[in-house]
């Protein structure tokens, strides 16, 4: 899936509309994690070095089609200025008079940022008139927003039909690495899938089942699999309407020889805010209690499979890792993935946060900047952001 690369574009002196994903987590107006800004730097630096006039554009949060000060990109513009070592001025609007004035005054090698794309209702609607206005700002379009690649929005889809479109380095790298998991993974290929709900992950489980050698299931979603095996899960989070799907999935895995593992022991408590939990066998969860993490025997079993993997893909925490009594399972899996000599990929908002919280991000081969986009790609779906860029 090699896309026409920004490297092949003649950008000198041109106005380049660069779509990035600077949807960074903020707390009290400060950036908590600037990974996504750093991840786009190679493309931004390359454009600046080659004398482009760079128009940086992103969404942030969910302002729902109207300007809101909490969703301003001001913190991102300030951080990008620091990282780039040159000023990046933020327009007061998205594609209005302020943005046009700034862009008109830009010299080659300068970068400006326009305000949050989602301040305009036309962005999420992929509205033609808004796409026209965005396209009118620039001569070329470069997409480096992998985190938004699963959204057919105006700055991802509409604009790419109106300007010569190229892939940035981050977009291409994410697409290459994730596509390789589907097409040509080094075996044994082990997928570790957790998180809250089976309904969020069933499509990716289905698409991976024929490709993996082992599938390790933890987190809240494992509870539905335990129910499918005839176990009781008390008050645990579970999706009873999906018990049949989980049972069919278990049968299919067995039929094709995939090593499917669900928790054999679990950490239970009466409530999520309990100060501590108890470890019990997965078939011994008392009524009135709920499962909040995988137990130590399960961690050991998962770690053993992971240790001999040629490829690991991990999405979704093994428990409620945000709370210390229920963080050990996720941490144990994070340590095992970090220690695996094979090629390791982590995708998903909370899973990535857990790896970073454990200080293990540097020991993972690829941390995806797009949770939703990485899942949809691995579900076998066509991502609008990739479809919009011509092949190389
Ligand atoms: P990701 O963002 O990595 O794709 P998800 O969004 O699917 O992951 O799920 C993450 C959430 O799942 C976490 O906030 C975590 O607290 C929750 N979770 C994990 N295990 C359980 C459980 N046993 N019960 C309830 N919630 C859980
Ligand atoms: Mg999530």
């Amino acid at each position: 899936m090699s896309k026409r690369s920004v490297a092949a574009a003649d950008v000198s002196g041109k106005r380049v509309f660069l779509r990035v994903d600077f949807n960074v987590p903020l707390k009290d107006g400060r950036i908590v994690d600037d990974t996504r800004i750093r991840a786009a730097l190679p493309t931004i630096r390359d454009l600046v070095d080659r004398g482009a006039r760079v128009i940086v554009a992103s969404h942030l949060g969910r302002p729902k089609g109207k300007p809101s000060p909490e969703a301003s990109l001001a913190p991102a513009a300030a951080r990008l200025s620091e990282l780039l070592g040159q000023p990046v001025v933020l327009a007061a609007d998205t594609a209005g008079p302020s943005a046009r004035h700034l862009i008109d005054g830009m010299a080659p090698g300068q970068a400006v940022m326009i305000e949050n794309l989602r301040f305009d209702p036309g962005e999420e609607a992929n509205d033609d008139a808004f796409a026209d206005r965005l396209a009118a700002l620039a001569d070329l379009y470069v997409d480096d927003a992998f985190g938004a690649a699963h959204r057919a929005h105006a700055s991802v889809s509409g604009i790419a039909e109106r300007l010569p479109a190229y892939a940035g380095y981050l977009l291409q790298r994410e697409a290459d690495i994730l596509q390789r998991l589907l097409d040509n993974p080094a075996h044994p290929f082990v997928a570790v899938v957790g998180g809250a709900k089976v309904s969020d992950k069933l499509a990716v489980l289905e698409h991976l089942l024929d490709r993996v050698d082992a599938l390790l299931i933890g987190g809240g979603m494992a509870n539905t699999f335990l129910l499918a095996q005839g176990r009781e899960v008390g008050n645990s989070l579970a999706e009873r309407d999906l018990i049949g799907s989980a049972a069919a999935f278990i049968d299919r895995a067995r039929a094709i020889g995939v090593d499917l593992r669900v928790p054999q022991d679990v950490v239970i408590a009466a409530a999520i805010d309990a100060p501590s939990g108890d470890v019990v066998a997965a078939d011994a969860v008392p009524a009135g209690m709920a499962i909040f993490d995988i137990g130590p025997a399960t961690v050991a079993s998962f770690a053993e499979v992971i240790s001999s993997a040629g490829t690991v893909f991990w999405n979704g925490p093994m428990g409620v890792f945000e709370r210390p009594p229920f963080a050990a399972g996720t941490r144990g899996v994070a340590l095992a993935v970090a220690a695996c000599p094979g090629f390791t990929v982590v995708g998903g908002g909370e899973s990535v946060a857990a790896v970073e919280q454990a200080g293990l991000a540097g020991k993972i081969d690829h941390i995806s900047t797009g949770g939703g986009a990485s899942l949809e790609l691995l579900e076998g779906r066509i991502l609008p952001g990739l479809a919009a860029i011509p092949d190389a």
Side-chain angles (χ1 to χ4, degrees):
M1 208 186 349
S2 212
K3 291 292 169 181
R4 186 165 71 181
S5 171
V6 60
D10 175 12
V11 299
S12 177
K14 303 267 175 59
R15 296 169 304 161
V16 176
F17 187 103
L18 175 64
R19 177 53 157 111
V20 294
D21 176 8
F22 285 179
N23 187 23
V24 288
L26 294 172
K27 196 163 186 241
D28 304 325
R30 298 181 59 86
I31 296 172
V32 181
D33 177 359
D34 66 359
T35 306
R36 286 179 163 174
I37 299 178
R38 290 175 184 274
L41 275 182
T43 300
I44 301 174
R45 279 223 172 90
D46 177 51
L47 289 169
V48 163
D49 289 350
R50 289 196 282 149
R53 297 171 154 93
V54 188
I55 305 155
V56 182
S58 179
H59 70 287
L60 176 69
R62 299 179 185 279
K64 301 244 164 72
K66 49 178 193 299
S68 81
E70 317 83 73
S72 169
L73 281 167
R79 189 77 192 102
L80 178 59
S81 302
E82 286 168 25
L83 292 169
L84 206 53
Q86 70 184 59
V88 178
V89 179
L90 175 68
D93 54 28
T94 304
S98 168
R100 285 196 298 272
H101 177 75
L102 258 184
I103 293 163
D104 285 346
M106 232 194 312
Q110 287 189 333
V112 300
M113 196 179 287
I114 59 175
E115 254 300 2
N116 195 334
L117 291 156
R118 290 189 185 168
F119 284 179
D120 194 299
E123 165 64 357
E124 290 179 80
N126 194 18
D127 173 65
D128 280 328
F130 185 60
D132 285 341
R133 278 167 57 210
L134 292 178
L137 300 175
D139 307 303
L140 301 177
Y141 172 70
V142 175
D143 188 2
D144 216 18
F146 181 70
H150 57 318
R151 305 293 188 205
H153 292 170
S155 67
V156 174
S157 289
I159 191 172
E161 293 162 10
R162 290 164 169 80
L163 292 175
Y166 299 85
Y169 301 114
L170 173 64
L171 184 78
Q172 185 67 61
R173 197 163 76 93
E174 290 266 16
D176 284 346
I177 287 176
L178 294 166
Q179 193 63 43
R180 180 146 45 94
L181 296 183
L182 294 178
D183 297 342
N184 194 20
H187 289 276
F189 180 14
V190 178
V192 189
V193 184
K197 288 156 76 186
V198 194
S199 47
D200 289 343
K201 308 283 164 88
L202 210 48
V204 78
L205 290 179
E206 297 279 358
H207 202 65
L208 289 176
L209 186 60
D210 295 326
R211 296 172 164 81
V212 295
D213 302 285
L215 191 48
L216 314 177
I217 296 182
M221 62 175 281
N223 302 334
T224 303
F225 283 85
L226 293 174
L227 286 169
Q229 293 179 326
R231 295 177 167 160
E232 297 299 335
V233 298
N235 289 340
S236 304
L237 180 73
E239 289 164 282
R240 289 176 192 269
D241 53 323
L242 290 175
I243 294 174
S245 307
F249 190 83
I250 293 170
D251 288 345
R252 248 185 75 212
R254 187 178 300 127
I256 64 174
V258 169
D259 182 4
L260 174 70
R261 299 192 183 192
V262 300
Q264 61 198 74
D265 62 344
V266 290
V267 180
I268 57 167
I272 201 165
D273 54 3
S276 65
D278 293 313
V279 176
V280 298
D283 59 2
V285 178
M289 301 294 271
I291 300 169
F292 292 118
D293 197 10
I294 58 174
T298 305
V299 172
S301 154
F302 286 10
E304 182 219 12
V305 177
I306 291 166
S307 70
S308 57
T311 307
V312 177
F313 171 69
W314 178 21
N315 170 285
M318 298 290 101
V320 183
F321 75 99
E322 297 93 338
R323 301 207 43 89
F326 313 120
T330 301
R331 188 176 161 76
V333 164
L335 284 165
V337 176
C340 172
F343 185 71
T344 54
V345 179
V346 179
E350 269 82 31
S351 345
V352 170
V355 166
E356 271 159 8
Q357 188 178 303
L360 296 168
K363 298 202 160 82
I364 308 292
D365 291 304
H366 182 69
I367 296 202
S368 179
T369 53
S374 65
L375 270 190
E376 288 199 19
L377 195 151
L378 292 176
E379 286 168 12
R381 286 161 63 165
I382 309 257
L383 301 187
L386 292 172
I389 313 293
D391 290 334

